Amino acid sequence: MAIVTPGKRPGVRIQSSRVFAKKFSRGKRSTYAGLMLTSLVDMFTIIVIFLLQNYSATGEILFMSKDIRLPDAVHGAELERAPVIAVSPDAITFEGKQIALTVDMKADALAIPELDDSLRDERRKWDESHTRDAQHPFKGLVHVQADKKIPFRIIKRVMISCNNAGYGNINFAAMAKGVSTKPTTAENTPH
């Protein structure tokens, strides 16, 4: 016989009664919780499909800014990971950090010192992280994402700063002709 706590015990007929069973239940609740497995499986299926559709095997390389309108290109190549310089009508940014204002660009100077310093820091970080990796030499690759209305004198200063810092392989981001959402790089030869 099992050990039970002392107290009144209702009979079988009273336990099944709707009226009297509440008196003897003593506020105990059932520990069984039924899961709706069909809904759970449906929810996880939707999440998996959503994640698979948003997955990019090549990775997100360029973050499109709303104030930069890229030029169109007929011929282009797939992007590969490299530092990104964005030139908008308002500012010049390097990897999302503002370097200089576009309106402050003077015609007499050749390079942009702040951009030159940022590129040299990026090169130093790359050299430190790839000291033992002889299979992947430094390519000097940089992507320039410039608005199509930016004057060439500003683009020229960006290019000179890139070349001074050792980034001679400059690619310009452009929109593939007829496709408005896929950025490519206009093929450019290293200097």
Side-chain angles (χ1 to χ4, degrees), residues 68-144:
I68 296 178
R69 294 201 49 210
L70 296 177
D72 295 329
V74 178
H75 300 288
E78 272 301 310
L79 294 175
E80 97 181 58
R81 180 68 187 118
V84 177
I85 300 168
V87 184
S88 71
D90 301 325
I92 297 173
T93 60
F94 177 70
E95 294 289 320
K97 187 179 85 173
Q98 182 175 338
I99 300 295
L101 296 175
T102 309
V103 294
D104 293 342
M105 295 291 113
K106 298 174 186 158
D108 57 348
L110 288 178
I112 304 168
E114 298 88 359
L115 180 60
D116 203 352
D117 293 340
S118 297
L119 285 167
R120 288 181 198 275
D121 289 342
E122 186 72 21
R123 170 78 187 262
R124 187 172 43 257
K125 289 177 193 174
W126 193 92
D127 287 339
E128 288 172 2
S129 65
H130 291 80
T131 53
R132 295 187 181 130
D133 190 11
Q135 295 177 350
H136 299 96
F138 181 71
K139 295 180 184 178
L141 179 65
V142 67
H143 297 303
V144 176

Side-chain angles (χ1 to χ4, degrees), residues 36-55:
M36 301 292 271
L37 288 180
T38 306
S39 300
L40 191 65
V41 169
D42 289 346
M43 181 188 68
F44 280 120
T45 303
I46 290 170
I47 289 173
V48 167
I49 290 171
F50 172 77
L51 292 174
L52 285 175
Q53 285 181 343
N54 289 327
Y55 176 72

Side-chain angles (χ1 to χ4, degrees), residues 10-47:
V12 176
R13 199 176 90 198
I14 293 177
Q15 282 180 342
S16 61
S17 169
R18 289 185 185 175
V19 177
F20 296 112
K22 292 179 186 176
K23 180 179 180 182
F24 293 102
S25 68
R26 295 186 186 149
K28 295 181 184 175
R29 293 189 182 216
S30 171
T31 58
Y32 174 75
L35 291 176
M36 301 292 271
L37 288 180
T38 306
S39 300
L40 191 65
V41 169
D42 289 346
M43 181 188 68
F44 280 120
T45 303
I46 290 170
I47 289 173

